[in-house]
Amino acid sequence: MMIRFFGQPQFTTADHTIKGYELFLRESIDHKWVFPDDFKEFTAYETANLLVQTIRPMPKTIKSVAFNLDPDQFVDPAYQTYLPKVQEQIAPIQLCVELTEHPCAPKVPNVQLVKAAQGFKNNHLSVVLDDVGTGNNTPPFAELLDSTLTEYKFAIQNFRNKREPDEIVKKLAYWHKMADDEDKRFIIEGFENKNELKLLNEYPADLIQGYYLDRPGLMPADDAVKLPHHRAS
């Protein structure tokens, strides 16, 4: 079994300079990189070790790297143990932990998610609410996590196929204002054409990403780098 990260560049709004990446875990099966059936088959250590191997070789111009955790992974004590070790190894690049909107069975209680988010924040990781406005990542949930969050991430593709043609603008305006009011960084993903970039004229973002700008690609990894093992608390 081999796993690697694919990375999608994140660009500045002004001059489209690459300043960050979002990483997506992929598994090699029959010489093809595929979306894993179950991310929980990979341990927190394996994921953390690969993060270090992937991020350490990045150029110094990269300021932040984001990757996703579903709610059940987000509260896993092993991630609380290993991700701070990743941050130590990759500094000054900032590791951004994106809490997805994906449902889990059984549902992870909000009190556990808040505690986990506080733990990441206390260990100098950036906590991001991913895909705001969908699933569990609602305005009330954002308010619940407010003191721990550094960033909102808005996904255009989540609202592109809604019946109301102006749904994207309405949702984007809401979360853009909320980011301003709560002093959060604001990332927009899902740009698929030049026309959608015009949204930035009224709703500027700290970073942007999408297929129109660049697609995810296989990231090099330094296999010689090894993250020390630690007992999960």
Side-chain angles (χ1 to χ4, degrees), residues 43-223:
T43 67
Y45 174 79
E46 289 174 317
T47 303
N49 188 57
L50 184 57
L51 281 170
V52 174
Q53 293 175 337
T54 305
I55 299 172
R56 283 275 291 271
M58 289 182 180
K60 295 181 180 179
T61 53
I62 299 303
K63 302 301 181 184
S64 61
V65 175
F67 88 111
N68 297 333
L69 289 181
D70 289 339
D72 54 349
Q73 296 172 301
F74 193 82
V75 300
D76 184 341
Y79 280 105
Q80 293 282 331
T81 296
Y82 285 117
L83 293 187
K85 303 300 179 184
V86 174
Q87 182 60 68
E88 292 173 4
Q89 293 286 326
I90 67 171
I93 295 176
Q94 178 64 53
L95 183 62
C96 302
V97 182
E98 297 189 357
L99 174 58
T100 74
E101 83 291 359
H102 300 152
C104 295
K107 185 178 185 296
V108 179
N110 284 347
V111 64
Q112 291 185 28
L113 293 167
V114 172
K115 181 179 179 181
Q118 187 64 55
F120 286 133
K121 179 185 177 183
N122 291 347
N123 282 290
H124 312 294
L125 283 86
S126 178
V127 180
V128 181
L129 194 61
D130 191 27
D131 288 357
V132 291
T134 58
N136 190 52
N137 292 354
T138 60
F141 186 56
E143 292 176 7
L144 189 65
L145 288 176
D146 180 68
S147 65
T148 66
L149 294 175
T150 58
E151 181 180 308
Y152 297 149
K153 191 168 191 182
F154 182 89
I156 292 175
Q157 66 270 20
N158 289 343
F159 306 100
R160 185 177 285 113
N161 297 321
K162 302 296 183 181
R163 291 183 179 179
E164 296 183 45
D166 61 344
E167 185 74 6
I168 292 176
V169 175
K170 287 166 48 178
K171 295 293 187 180
L172 179 57
Y174 178 90
W175 284 100
H176 187 272
K177 182 180 186 304
M178 190 166 177
D180 277 348
D181 291 346
E182 303 298 335
D183 194 27
K184 309 298 183 190
R185 277 166 47 91
F186 193 61
I187 311 298
I188 305 177
E189 68 171 334
F191 289 99
E192 292 188 357
N193 56 66
K194 185 177 181 179
N195 191 57
E196 287 180 341
L197 288 177
K198 295 178 182 178
L199 292 168
L200 297 170
N201 295 331
E202 190 167 354
Y203 307 107
D206 293 281
L207 291 173
I208 57 176
Q209 66 186 89
Y211 278 12
Y212 179 74
L213 300 163
D214 204 350
R215 290 176 177 265
L218 180 64
M219 302 295 289
D222 184 355
D223 293 331

